[in-house]
Amino acid sequence: MPVSPELWLAFAAAAAVLIAIPGPTTLMVLGHTMSGGWRMGALSLVGVTLGDICAITLSVLGFSAVLAASATAFLVMKWLGAAYLVWLGIQLWRSPPPQLTVQAQVPGGGGRAVAQTFLVTLLNPKGLLFFAAFLPQFIDPARPLWPQVIVFMITFDLLAALIQGAYILAMGRARGVIANPQVLKNMNRAGGAMLVGAGLLTATLKRSA
């Protein structure tokens, strides 16, 4: 077995607590769900998963060490991520309410939602630093590195899918019973506000965090 059961259980418990605390990425997924329903939220979660995989890989390869050592690199990543989130929030705030018909689709489609959440996850320097600081605590130096990393990566992504998926389903059901255009417009604005809030939250990240 690549990972001892004790270490795996400790990692899963710690990861579940951390995932359950909403951060910039979770707010973005909920913003997409507010504007496009649970299907758009689920597609957004695909982007988050891909972004987490890349973040974990980059952290293990040492890119996070560059962010930790270089104030300039950290600031560039932080402000790129924050600006992108704020821009997306403004676009969503200004967009017209979606048509709740069987064939209606959110402008840009699911591919855009996947790409947006992937970029936001990857442009979050705290995520890279988090994995660099969090993951090594559960690595057994007596065992091969990459099999352990893969097990922890799969565990983290499955937990993220389950926990954030519960958020998506809850919000998607609440949205699905409403068809009033004005209410949908307000939902777009609420989702946009979530994205702007996520951007502002990203802008407050510190290297020491």
Side-chain angles (χ1 to χ4, degrees), residues 8-83:
W8 182 82
L9 286 172
F11 175 86
V17 172
L18 292 167
I19 293 167
I21 301 172
T25 303
T26 301
L27 290 177
M28 184 178 191
V29 172
L30 294 179
H32 280 168
T33 307
M34 286 285 286
S35 64
W38 68 267
R39 289 182 180 84
M40 192 59 62
L43 288 171
S44 299
L45 194 55
V46 172
V48 175
T49 300
L50 295 175
D52 281 338
I53 290 172
C54 289
I56 293 173
T57 303
L58 289 173
S59 296
V60 174
L61 291 175
F63 182 67
S64 56
V66 176
L67 287 178
S70 170
T72 300
F74 184 91
L75 285 174
V76 168
M77 290 289 288
K78 180 178 79 170
W79 288 111
L80 279 175

Side-chain angles (χ1 to χ4, degrees), residues 1-15 134-143 148 151-152 155:
M1 217 179 146
V3 179
S4 70
E6 295 79 10
L7 274 179
W8 182 82
L9 286 172
F11 175 86
F134 180 66
L135 198 57
Q137 301 177 44
F138 302 93
I139 296 294
D140 184 350
R143 297 172 184 254
Q148 295 182 77
V151 169
F152 288 139
T155 300

